[in-house]
């Protein structure tokens, strides 16, 4: 089972997404979005290669993958098989 490590920037963006969602769409939608992020995280821990390869980041050494949260946001990550 892989471990998901969030960067500081990603944690801040996750927090902003929740707070902005709360102001614009209400608490219910913000909580649903936060729950979806948690579900995606758990799925990635079990199946790290779940997301599709991100075509805009193919030029980098790491293989970046992405999972959509909704139409506007996605999680971009890479899986380090050596460190799991």
């Amino acid at each position: 089972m892989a471990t998901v490590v969030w960067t500081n920037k990603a944690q801040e963006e996750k927090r902003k997404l929740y707070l902005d969602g709360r102001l614009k769409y209400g608490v219910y939608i913000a909580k649903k979005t936060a729950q979806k992020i948690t579900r995606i995280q758990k799925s990635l821990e079990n199946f790290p290669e779940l997301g599709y390869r991100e075509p805009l980041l193919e030029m980098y050494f790491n293989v970046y993958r992405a999972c959509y949260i909704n139409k506007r946001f996605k999680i971009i990550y890479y899986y380090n098989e050596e460190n799991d």
Side-chain angles (χ1 to χ4, degrees):
M1 187 158 109
T3 303
V4 174
V5 178
W6 293 88
T7 63
N8 291 336
K9 182 174 171 88
Q11 288 177 339
E12 183 62 30
E13 291 298 322
K14 207 168 47 163
R15 185 175 167 276
K16 283 182 192 176
L17 178 64
Y18 177 76
L19 294 175
D20 289 346
R22 236 177 104 165
L23 291 174
K24 292 180 184 176
Y25 307 110
V27 175
Y28 178 77
I29 298 297
K31 283 184 180 180
K32 293 293 273 185
T33 303
Q35 290 170 352
K36 186 164 185 181
I37 291 171
T38 302
R39 281 195 312 271
I40 291 171
Q41 178 178 339
K42 288 181 182 181
S43 296
L44 291 175
E45 289 173 351
N46 293 322
F47 306 104
E49 296 180 352
L50 177 70
Y52 67 91
R53 291 180 88 146
E54 182 58 46
L56 297 175
L57 300 174
E58 286 182 346
M59 76 272 304
Y60 294 103
F61 177 73
N62 293 323
V63 176
Y64 288 92
R65 297 181 174 276
C67 292
Y68 276 96
I69 298 170
N70 57 32
K71 290 180 181 179
R72 295 181 58 209
F73 298 100
K74 61 184 169 182
I75 296 172
I76 297 176
Y77 69 97
Y78 73 92
Y79 174 55
N80 186 341
E81 201 168 343
E82 295 169 1
N83 294 338
D84 198 33

